[in-house]
Structures are given as structure tokens and as C-alpha cells.
Amino acid sequence: MNIDFDKSDGLVPVIIQDEQTLEVLMLGYMDKEAYDKTVQENVVTFFSRSKNRLWKKGETSGNYLHVKNIDIDCDNDTLLIKVKADGPTCHTGSRSCFNTEYNQNFIHELERIIADRYENPQEGSYVNKLHKKGLNKISQKVGEEAVETVIAALNETEHDFINESSDLMFHLLVLLREKGISLETIAKNLEERHK
């Protein structure tokens, strides 16, 4: 990667983005040494302008940012790093340093939670109960929720419709996981069909 560190006195801005939800978590800066350390360790290290030193994000809190992908912009002077965060990214305890009202891509986070329940079963988890019952039961639940969503759309309040739609989406996510298909696969298919 040919990064132009000379444009801004040896530093380049780095946008940190959640690899699953695509939510922007923070903005930091790297010099060449911080970049090299990040690539070598697969954990984000910045150059802290206030501390005037290398700063591994999470060195105090333990909320490290594990690198999943690094992209560079068209001018070679800004990086976009997709990460898996160990916890809240902001020093205030918020998931993001930006005060967004809600996680705009929570659906991807929910997909990750469902996958985690499959990989690390938890006693009493509804996802695990469905998983144990198998594909037929999960498919049946999606059908039931679809019918309830249609009924709510035609005959019930907006609140009821929102709740039934949420139930349908949740059960569809479980079904997708059961079949081993990701939201990314569905999104790419929809994008291709849109062309």
C-alpha cells in the first residue's frame, strides 16, 4: 500500500469502521510507524497527537480494535480500517465516538449475536432452543411470523405491525444462519438484481 505520509506532516487520518455493522466508530491518526505496527500486530495503533507517542487503542481499557481489512482512498492519504472491537470504542463507554442516536446497522449486529449463540450455546437462549429444533421448526416459525406480519399490516396498529415485522426479521435471520447464508450474501444478490 503506497500511503502518502508526507501530505500532512507525516500523519494520515484513519477512519475506524465496524466490520459487521459498517458503523463508523472513531477517527484517529497514524504515522508510518503506527501503520507498520498495526499491520504487524493486526491490532490498531495510532499516533496520539495529544500524547505525542504511539498509542495502541485499548491499551488502558482492554477494548482493542482487531484489524479485519485496510483500504486506502483515491488520494493515498486516508485509511479506512474495518475492525472487530473488543468492547466500546469511545473512552466514554459508548460503542462509537460519534453520538449517533442508534446503531443504524443493528441488524448486522443481531446477525453476529445469532452466530455467536450457534457457536457458543447459552443455557436458556431462544436462539439455541430454535437451533435444537432444527430447520423444519425454524422454517415454520418464519412462516408463522410472516402471516402475523400480514395480519398486523391489514388489521392492527402500526405498533403491532412494527413488532410483528421485527419478529419476522429475527426469525428470518435465524433461518439464514441455520442455512449458512449471511446477510451479505442476500445484500449482494439484491444489489445484483437491482442492476
Side-chain angles (χ1 to χ4, degrees):
M1 198 171 285
N2 187 23
I3 304 167
D4 189 351
F5 288 104
D6 296 328
K7 260 187 200 172
S8 299
D9 297 324
L11 297 176
V12 295
V14 180
I15 300 162
I16 301 296
Q17 186 178 41
D18 185 286
E19 63 143 348
Q20 281 290 122
T21 68
L22 305 180
E23 181 177 23
V24 174
L25 300 176
M26 68 175 292
L27 171 71
Y29 293 86
M30 286 184 183
D31 61 5
K32 181 160 183 5
E33 186 180 2
Y35 173 77
D36 289 343
K37 189 171 174 82
T38 296
V39 170
Q40 180 182 18
E41 297 179 358
N42 260 350
V43 175
V44 174
T45 296
F46 294 111
F47 180 83
S48 171
R49 297 174 299 163
S50 60
K51 298 173 185 173
N52 199 32
R53 67 171 176 85
L54 293 185
W55 166 59
K56 184 183 286 188
K57 179 66 177 121
E59 66 186 28
T60 304
S61 66
N63 296 330
Y64 296 103
L65 301 173
H66 301 276
V67 176
K68 297 300 177 182
N69 189 55
I70 300 177
D71 290 308
I72 192 166
D73 78 335
C74 58
D75 293 324
N76 295 332
D77 62 0
T78 303
L79 297 176
L80 172 65
I81 301 182
K82 292 182 182 168
V83 301
K84 181 178 186 320
D86 280 343
T89 300
C90 187
H91 70 280
T92 65
S94 295
R95 75 181 179 281
S96 170
C97 291
F98 298 95
N99 292 321
T100 52
E101 184 178 332
Y102 67 101
N103 183 346
Q104 299 93 330
N105 292 300
F106 178 73
I107 196 93
H108 294 284
E109 190 171 326
L110 184 57
E111 179 185 40
R112 184 168 40 200
I113 292 167
I114 290 167
D116 183 64
R117 294 296 191 273
Y118 267 62
E119 294 162 14
N120 304 296
Q122 295 181 4
E123 183 87 21
S125 163
Y126 180 62
V127 171
N128 291 119
K129 288 177 186 175
L130 285 173
H131 181 47
K132 285 179 182 176
K133 291 181 180 179
L135 180 61
N136 286 343
K137 182 62 176 174
I138 296 168
S139 298
Q140 179 185 344
K141 281 299 292 178
V142 171
E144 289 171 10
E145 297 301 341
V147 169
E148 290 173 10
T149 300
V150 170
I151 291 169
L154 296 173
N155 300 317
E156 298 176 14
T157 67
E158 182 177 299
H159 178 76
D160 294 329
F161 177 64
I162 290 169
N163 281 330
E164 294 300 342
S165 297
S166 297
D167 288 346
L168 175 60
M169 288 296 298
F170 172 79
H171 286 90
L172 181 57
L173 286 172
V174 174
L175 180 60
L176 287 170
R177 178 62 180 91
E178 185 71 20
K179 294 291 291 179
I181 297 172
S182 68
L183 277 176
E184 180 182 352
T185 301
I186 301 300
K188 285 179 179 177
N189 185 55
L190 288 169
E191 181 180 40
E192 186 60 35
R193 290 165 58 178
H194 175 69
K195 292 178 182 177

